Amino acid sequence: MSANERATRALREILQNPGNDACADCGAPDPMWGSCSLGVFICLACSGIHRNLPDISKVKSLSLSHWEDQEVQFMTQHGNELMRSKYEAAVPVYYYKPTHKDCQTLKEQWIRAKYERKEFSEPGKNFTYEEGTRDGMLMKRGRDNGQFLSRRFVLSEREGTLKYFTKYDAKEPKAVIKVDTINATFQPEKIGNPNSLQITFLKDYSTRNIFVFHDNGKEIVDWFNTIRAVQLHYLKVAFPGATDAELVPKLTRNFLKEGYMEKTGPRQTEGFKKRWFTLDQRRLMYFKVPLDAFAKGEAFLGNKDHGYSASPGLPAGTHCNGNWQHGITIKTPERSFLFTCETESDQQDWLKHFNDVMNAVMSPQDYTMEALFRHRH
């Protein structure tokens, strides 16, 4: 057996150790790369980010690269669990740890924060996210013309608000957003910039979107995690008995699903029109186009025991004049919503998400939201 084959076999054995079967940075299954200077096993996508840190991380393929005996030995002595206890010793609870499904910018800044800046290696460090305020310029998409222009944003924990100003020295903000209504999600494809956020919030009980980006990936991720830190502070005040584990899922979160469906109106006699749908926890919102500032409408998806259901197909006699044939009927105590999807797989995927939501137990906040919906509609 050649030295190379011996090394490959030894590395495959080390992969069996607990924690080494998933990427050390994003959790992707079956990592096939290793950093022989950090002692961690990583996936292909994260290995590309590690390559951009040549002074810190030396990356090799487990099957294609030549490994020296001492490098294999180093991997044996370290591995993902041990290195996580070192580099992730003090990650704040609100800090968003990206998964393999998240965008490149989030993953890159997580990897740089861990290994390059060593932000989480020592307990008791002061984090930039916890300063209680953040003030800076972001490029914001104009509501009507779609142009991105530089705007000043100010986040204040004391006031519990995110404000933006059209000019740096403007006295009055253009908008004041309450942090407890914010959901910030990374949307590189939708917005067309790798470092971009969609900030969704409630204004007068209706959903509003603003779209922002920054040229610097660290800057936008710092904004994102600072918003989460401020939100957690507010939730702890609002729910003093709640644990971190209960509160963290209520911080900014990825949408469960987004995409096009066709829908008809409440009387179900109008034509089916193509709309962009966003499922955010129990709220299903629809927009004319993906970058709309305002939702055209929304539905609340409660628990199946309370008169909510989602099923394939449309009621008999529905005049389906659209191009898409794969129907979905959502029933709520107030009304039915009729949708059509372009493909059967899309229909099945939407249905799975709708039913997952309707099968989940409702929280006290969900009941509050449901009451607001009924009041509004």
Side-chain angles (χ1 to χ4, degrees), residues 24-262:
D25 297 323
C26 75
D30 307 321
M32 291 311 294
W33 296 77
S35 169
C36 59
S37 53
L38 291 170
V40 292
F41 293 93
I42 50 179
C43 68
L44 175 63
C46 288
S47 75
I49 299 169
H50 278 252
R51 272 205 194 85
N52 293 331
L53 311 174
D55 300 341
I56 293 162
S57 189
K58 186 180 174 193
V59 180
K60 290 191 170 187
S61 160
L62 300 187
S63 52
L64 304 171
S65 304
H66 171 73
W67 288 74
E68 302 293 341
D69 287 346
Q70 67 267 28
E71 291 172 337
V72 175
Q73 189 63 29
F74 185 78
M75 298 303 281
T76 310
Q77 290 162 348
H78 293 81
N80 291 0
E81 284 199 352
L82 183 64
M83 291 299 93
R84 200 169 280 138
S85 68
K86 174 182 176 179
Y87 288 106
E88 297 181 27
V91 182
V93 285
Y94 57 76
Y95 189 97
Y96 184 78
K97 292 187 189 182
T99 72
H100 59 99
K101 294 178 179 168
D102 282 302
C103 68
Q104 180 81 357
T105 297
L106 268 173
K107 288 190 276 202
E108 179 176 349
Q109 291 309 315
W110 166 234
I111 288 168
R112 286 184 180 276
K114 279 203 311 189
Y115 307 116
E116 187 177 50
R117 302 194 291 271
K118 296 191 173 69
E119 281 187 28
F120 316 120
S121 297
E122 297 155 37
K125 267 180 85 169
N126 291 332
F127 292 107
T128 171
Y129 325 108
E130 290 171 19
E131 287 165 5
T133 176
R134 191 171 183 87
D135 184 333
M137 304 301 279
L138 297 171
M139 298 300 286
K140 177 191 168 291
R141 186 178 192 271
R143 192 175 86 191
D144 303 317
N145 60 8
Q147 254 186 316
F148 279 89
L149 296 166
S150 185
R151 295 289 182 252
R152 181 187 182 191
F153 281 78
V154 179
L155 178 69
S156 165
E157 183 179 288
R158 196 169 50 80
E159 295 178 16
T161 57
L162 175 66
K163 299 175 181 174
Y164 75 87
F165 301 81
T166 49
K167 293 194 173 62
Y168 188 80
D169 51 3
K171 295 280 180 283
E172 290 299 312
K174 183 82 167 65
V176 179
I177 303 164
K178 290 174 62 179
V179 287
D180 55 358
T181 73
I182 288 178
N183 188 22
T185 57
F186 275 82
Q187 295 280 12
E189 281 85 22
K190 197 198 256 188
I191 298 172
N193 182 290
N195 310 323
S196 53
L197 281 179
Q198 175 176 345
I199 296 175
T200 302
F201 58 97
L202 285 177
K203 187 170 167 33
D204 306 328
Y205 297 126
S206 65
T207 300
R208 172 81 209 271
N209 291 321
I210 53 177
F211 303 94
V212 298
F213 73 83
H214 196 282
D215 290 334
N216 181 304
K218 178 180 183 298
E219 186 71 19
I220 200 77
V221 174
D222 285 357
W223 269 102
F224 176 69
N225 280 304
T226 306
I227 289 170
R228 289 174 62 90
V230 171
Q231 286 183 322
L232 184 64
H233 168 82
Y234 263 76
L235 285 168
K236 286 187 171 214
V237 173
F239 306 102
T243 62
D244 287 342
E246 288 168 317
L247 296 178
V248 168
K250 299 185 186 339
L251 303 180
T252 60
R253 65 221 160 248
N254 290 328
F255 296 133
L256 296 176
K257 183 170 169 67
E258 288 196 282
Y260 283 110
M261 290 192 285
E262 291 183 342

